[in-house]
Amino acid sequence: MKKRPLTFLISAGPTREAIDPVRYLSNRSSGKMGYALAEAARAAGHRVILVSGPVALIPPRGVQVHPVISASDMLTALKRELPASDVLIMAAAVADWRPRRIAPRKQKKAGRTSWTLDLVPTPDLLATLARRKGRRFVVGFAAETGNPLPEARRKLLAKNLDLIVANDVSRPDAGFEVDTNRVTLLTAHTLHAWPTMTKRKLARDLIAFIEFRLPPS
Ligand code: CTP
């Protein structure tokens, strides 16, 4: 059977939430998993739109890239691109908290012995987008420390996902900055525990897994 070319909307990397003009809150995401997915989807003949937080990676050839900084920027870009997409993969590590107010000037040390930041939650991008997903196939990642499965199952249901890719980021062969990952895939009715593999191979296998689950047109 001939494969149908699809449009993949993929988010990657961290977001940054500004504290003042020189500081921000962020996390250790390198963007490697999201970029590998974009490359694999493109190599499989699909159209790929990559919404990327700040990373030190070169975008794969033939992929349309939208660079963003904050969670709110990322949500705006994803909302704009979602209507024309068939698949959304949220591989980004969205910062969960942002300062309530961004200080307009650099915050100085002088006269302070401590500094408390007032943080408010960023929107849950995936849950927001998946509420209006229609027939789109929506994939999330669950980054946990320790057994990821209970939390991954909860997120699959709570965020209205078709698939969640769960990993234990405290393992040396998985998670942030490393080139390998070890994941378990959960759908509403299936569980697939995959062995440790490179992020590039995992990306190819994941794209094939998603293609297999989408109805041929
Ligand atoms: N996600 C998102 N918007 C957020 C936080 C997370 O879209 N503000 C997405 C991530 O891209 C990922 C999925 O939700 O695909 C799960 O992210 P994760 O960090 O594992 O979970 P959270 O929902 O943030 O919950 P917690 O940090 O408490 O585990």
Side-chain angles (χ1 to χ4, degrees):
M1 189 175 58
K2 200 170 172 310
K3 270 191 327 198
R4 173 164 71 107
L6 301 164
T7 298
F8 277 74
L9 177 58
I10 300 174
S11 71
T15 65
R16 285 182 187 168
E17 308 304 324
I19 297 171
D20 68 14
V22 297
R23 304 184 179 93
Y24 56 79
L25 293 174
S26 192
N27 58 63
R28 286 177 54 198
S29 169
S30 64
K32 282 180 181 169
M33 193 64 243
Y35 275 58
L37 283 162
E39 187 178 13
R42 184 72 198 113
H46 302 294
R47 175 170 175 245
V48 181
I49 305 164
L50 179 61
V51 175
S52 175
V55 297
L57 298 173
I58 296 167
R61 286 170 85 89
V63 165
Q64 193 182 320
V65 186
H66 298 280
V68 295
I69 306 281
S70 67
S72 152
D73 297 341
M74 186 173 271
L75 182 58
T76 303
L78 291 170
K79 271 187 177 162
R80 194 176 55 230
E81 302 299 336
L82 188 67
S85 306
D86 302 293
V87 180
L88 167 66
I89 308 180
M90 273 301 292
V94 182
D96 286 315
W97 300 92
R98 65 171 175 84
R100 184 185 299 277
R101 250 183 296 282
I102 303 174
R105 300 168 68 90
K106 184 183 174 197
Q107 296 299 288
K108 304 299 281 181
K109 247 190 336 265
R112 275 184 169 145
T113 52
S114 70
W115 180 14
T116 305
L117 287 175
D118 183 13
L119 303 180
V120 293
T122 57
D124 189 314
L125 279 48
L126 189 52
T128 305
L129 296 163
R131 264 197 291 277
R132 285 170 284 153
K133 69 178 181 174
R135 290 165 59 84
R136 288 175 198 86
F137 193 87
V138 176
V139 183
F141 275 73
E144 310 293 342
T145 47
N147 178 8
L149 297 187
E151 268 299 281
R153 184 162 297 289
R154 185 186 66 72
K155 290 174 187 174
L156 177 77
L157 300 174
K159 302 194 191 208
N160 194 26
L161 310 180
D162 298 288
L163 168 66
I164 194 155
V165 181
N167 63 347
D168 173 358
V169 293
S170 61
R171 292 176 60 99
D173 58 351
F176 298 120
E177 290 149 3
V178 294
D179 287 320
T180 56
N181 209 344
R182 184 193 174 107
V183 303
T184 300
L185 273 54
L186 294 178
T187 68
H189 304 292
T190 64
L191 182 155
H192 306 260
W194 285 1
T196 302
M197 59 182 93
T198 64
K199 286 183 177 171
R200 293 188 73 185
K201 166 145 174 57
L202 172 58
R204 286 195 298 272
D205 290 0
L206 256 176
I207 298 298
F209 186 91
I210 294 166
E211 284 169 344
F212 181 73
R213 285 183 180 249
L214 280 165
S217 69

